[in-house]
Amino acid sequence: MGLFSGLKTVIIDRWSWLNYKPLYSDQLGMPNRRAFPEAHATWVPAADERRLAAYKMLTGYDNNQVAELTAFRDGDEARERREFGDPSMFVDTITSHVLGEEQTLTVPGAENAGGDQTTPEAELAERVQTLLREWADEELLAMRLLQTERKAVSLGDGVYLLHWDADKQRVRLKTYDPGFYFPVVGEDDDGSDFPDRIHLAWELPEDKARHLPARLRRITYHLDWIRPQTANGVDRTGRPVRATVMSEPTDEQASQPVIGRGDVLDGQGAISRLYPWSEQPSYKTVYLTDATWELGDLKGPVDIDNLPMDKAHFATNGQGELLDHLDMLIDFLPIIHVPNTVPEPGEHWGQSSLAKVLQVFDELSGSDTDSSRASATTGSPILAIAGKAVNAQTQYTAGPGMVFTLGEGGSITSVETSGNLAELRNHVDTLKDRAATTARIPAVALGTSDPSKFTSGYQLELALGPLDSLISGMRLARDHADRLLPKFVQRLFQAGQHPDWVGLPVLPAKLMRGAYTPTDKAAVLEEVATARNAKLISLETAIRRLQDIGWPIDDAEDEIKRIDARSFEDARNLADALGNPDEVASFLGREAPDEPDPPAVVLPAAGPAAAIDDTSEPVPEGSRGNA
């Protein structure tokens, strides 16, 4: 046993790329307790300790604070290391690319509304799309997306929370740090599936001014069976809780639990409910609990999922409802987890974009530190004074205009260090290129390449190949979240019974992300014009292609109408083909002129020779020639 007791355990998991740091992984594979006290809190599950420590370490890289964390193990000398923000620059660059130039909520079929051949389905899709975009403007969706995406890129995971705000009468969107996110995934559950119970938890520091001790706050969303109706009440100790509503007893029947309005109790005692977005009744609903615990009350083997409820203090919402298993009247958890990368089979977590290049950043920090020290000796050179008159005990200070008087055989020698500084700077550039290559971010995407190297759009496209594969994989990991977000927004508006959404169906919608790479607009314009003149593509396709490369065209249908209104040559051809003025006027977006009534036909007056005597005898047929 003595032979094997000193062996180190090798842990390979979603965060094992940090094992090379002794600060993060000791002989037992656990993070340093002094550097990561949050990960070792009594309420944190053992399975989440390494995850929380990894988040803190990655945040340190993003904020140039790795030296401060390293000082817990290596002492104050570690604080002298230079950190010049390269990880943060990588995070910002990748975030901007994965978001794209613009983000738009779209509903398929809405683009067909407003035309001559529009359908009720297209009009409905356009109505839902308009409402979604109005909500996005009011809720500052672009800013929320940026907050979440930056967390996902730097830490590996992002979290959205949506909820109905009865005071503002709209759906609210919040962004949470993934370190507050604790999904309950059972041993037999697939980590890629949506969990039935999710906790959002964090510690609140002691507030001496208000005499509040250190506390733990936990917000829980739990998808569970529908139960009878509850209301605000108190327990035996007078602590506010929610209690089951009971009916008034009668002579024939004792008091019974009251089911909610619209709920149905079947013969087996199960309660079902028909939601506005479902065609079939559901037996599930989501319960919300928002409570705090004093850290001193959390004793014994407890974690985030089994805190003592008899010690909890429940919050209330704006309507005065106690948030103790409050029925939210929805059958889905309104929390969206955004992984940065496609999780491994059975896994739930994504991976940070910095994970594969952290060691390069450590080398880069070391080279920057050495370069900073070398620059000091280059600016203030090292001098060596030799000679018989030189006193070894005398201290000499060199400065501008300083003159040294030397005796017989005296000399001054300067130690040249500029060559070392140049080598260090070249090494820094090499490390930066290595980090960009490993992270699949070409120099052109970082803005550090010479534009004159790319003489055509094709060369630029080839240079951006690694970035294309990187962003494609990252957007694939976000595809499900981009569809869930507008879906949940529609459902929550209907659950809140907003008048603009009552009666509308939940249509498939998606958050569309714009282009992320620079485009050779001149080449695309020439390509579109050539294809259009050759009648190989329609005007609609040409307009949408120009929209994709950033032309200022807000609405393709309106742009086509404006183009048609000035296409007089096409209108003339249409008139020759159809001969219908109404069709031509509709093509030009105008009204056809009223056609004047045709003039009455006036026959010439009859002369005397053409008069007919109705009383004369008929001329025999044979005598007409002589006549």
Side-chain angles (χ1 to χ4, degrees), residues 82-362:
R82 296 292 186 267
E83 298 177 77
F84 295 150
D86 295 283
S88 179
M89 182 265 294
F90 271 62
V91 170
D92 290 336
T93 300
I94 297 176
T95 301
S96 64
H97 288 320
V98 76
L99 275 174
E101 294 180 355
E102 60 181 7
Q103 304 82 42
T104 309
L105 292 172
T106 61
V107 179
E111 68 276 5
N112 299 323
D116 296 334
Q117 305 297 327
T118 186
T119 61
E121 291 78 10
E123 295 290 344
L124 184 61
E126 195 273 337
R127 172 63 175 163
V128 172
Q129 178 176 274
T130 300
L131 290 174
L132 284 174
R133 292 181 177 180
E134 290 176 354
W135 167 82
D137 291 338
E138 294 178 354
E139 198 57 26
L140 305 177
L141 178 61
M143 184 182 70
R144 305 299 181 195
L145 290 173
L146 178 58
Q147 292 173 342
T148 303
E149 287 297 345
R150 205 181 189 286
K151 288 289 186 183
V153 171
S154 60
L155 304 183
D157 304 282
V159 180
Y160 293 116
L161 171 64
L162 297 106
H163 68 95
W164 172 253
D165 191 328
D167 295 331
K168 294 184 178 295
Q169 284 293 297
R170 75 167 185 263
V171 179
R172 303 303 306 275
L173 178 64
K174 291 185 178 181
T175 297
Y176 278 90
D177 189 289
F180 301 160
Y181 172 69
F182 295 89
V184 179
V185 181
E187 295 181 356
D188 297 331
D189 298 336
D190 188 346
S192 61
D193 292 340
F194 207 75
D196 291 338
R197 187 164 67 253
I198 293 177
H199 304 295
L200 299 171
W202 61 93
E203 289 189 8
L204 301 172
E206 180 183 3
D207 189 346
K208 295 182 178 180
R210 294 189 297 168
H211 305 287
L212 294 175
R215 292 150 294 150
L216 169 67
R217 183 180 180 185
R218 188 190 74 178
I219 302 174
T220 301
Y221 287 86
H222 185 197
L223 182 65
D224 203 358
W225 303 105
I226 299 175
R227 300 188 183 94
Q229 188 176 354
T230 60
N232 291 353
V234 293
D235 61 9
R236 295 179 179 179
T237 63
R239 186 173 58 103
V241 295
R242 291 194 71 84
T244 303
V245 177
M246 305 297 291
S247 64
E248 293 292 337
T250 62
D251 296 336
E252 295 80 11
Q253 188 177 17
S255 180
Q256 297 290 331
V258 176
I259 64 174
R261 185 174 61 181
D263 294 349
V264 177
L265 181 65
D266 62 17
Q268 299 179 350
I271 302 175
S272 63
R273 180 182 301 161
L274 183 63
Y275 294 98
W277 50 84
S278 301
E279 296 181 356
Q280 298 294 330
S282 174
Y283 290 89
K284 294 292 188 72
T285 189
V286 171
Y287 294 98
L288 170 62
T289 301
D290 186 352
T292 57
W293 288 262
E294 294 184 8
L295 293 182
D297 293 335
L298 303 181
K299 300 177 181 179
V302 298
D303 62 23
I304 194 62
D305 195 42
N306 60 359
L307 299 176
M309 299 306 297
D310 58 331
K311 301 291 185 180
H313 301 276
F314 301 104
T316 57
N317 60 15
Q319 290 69 47
E321 294 282 352
L322 200 67
L323 301 181
D324 173 20
H325 293 85
L326 177 65
D327 191 346
M328 301 301 294
L329 303 177
I330 55 177
D331 62 346
F332 59 94
L333 272 65
I335 297 178
I336 301 176
H337 170 235
V338 183
N340 184 52
T341 58
V342 176
E344 297 292 336
E347 288 285 344
H348 185 79
W349 308 102
Q351 188 178 77
S352 169
S353 295
L354 301 179
K356 302 296 177 61
V357 290
L358 285 187
Q359 296 191 47
V360 182
F361 285 139
D362 287 344

Side-chain angles (χ1 to χ4, degrees), residues 94 97 440-442 445 463-472 516-518:
I94 297 176
H97 288 320
R440 290 187 291 172
I441 307 178
L464 291 172
L467 180 65
D468 290 338
S469 62
L470 171 67
I471 300 302
S472 296
Y516 59 88
T517 56

Side-chain angles (χ1 to χ4, degrees), residues 594-614:
D594 296 333
E595 295 185 2
D597 296 334
V601 178
V602 180
L603 298 176
I612 299 176
D613 187 1
D614 294 335

Side-chain angles (χ1 to χ4, degrees), residues 484-556:
L484 280 181
L485 179 63
K487 180 181 179 180
F488 285 180
V489 170
Q490 296 178 71
R491 288 185 173 185
L492 288 173
F493 266 114
Q494 293 184 359
Q497 298 182 357
H498 193 282
D500 292 341
W501 290 84
V502 173
L504 293 179
V506 176
L507 298 180
K510 186 179 180 181
L511 175 68
M512 301 298 296
R513 301 166 185 260
Y516 59 88
T517 56
T519 306
D520 190 346
K521 294 186 177 181
V524 175
L525 177 60
E526 181 180 359
E527 174 187 344
V528 171
T530 302
R532 177 65 184 143
N533 292 333
K535 302 184 185 304
L536 297 178
I537 60 174
S538 65
L539 182 58
E540 289 80 0
T541 302
I543 292 296
R544 292 192 181 96
R545 184 69 181 96
L546 295 180
Q547 281 182 307
D548 292 340
I549 64 173
W551 278 53
I553 301 174
D554 296 329
D555 191 293

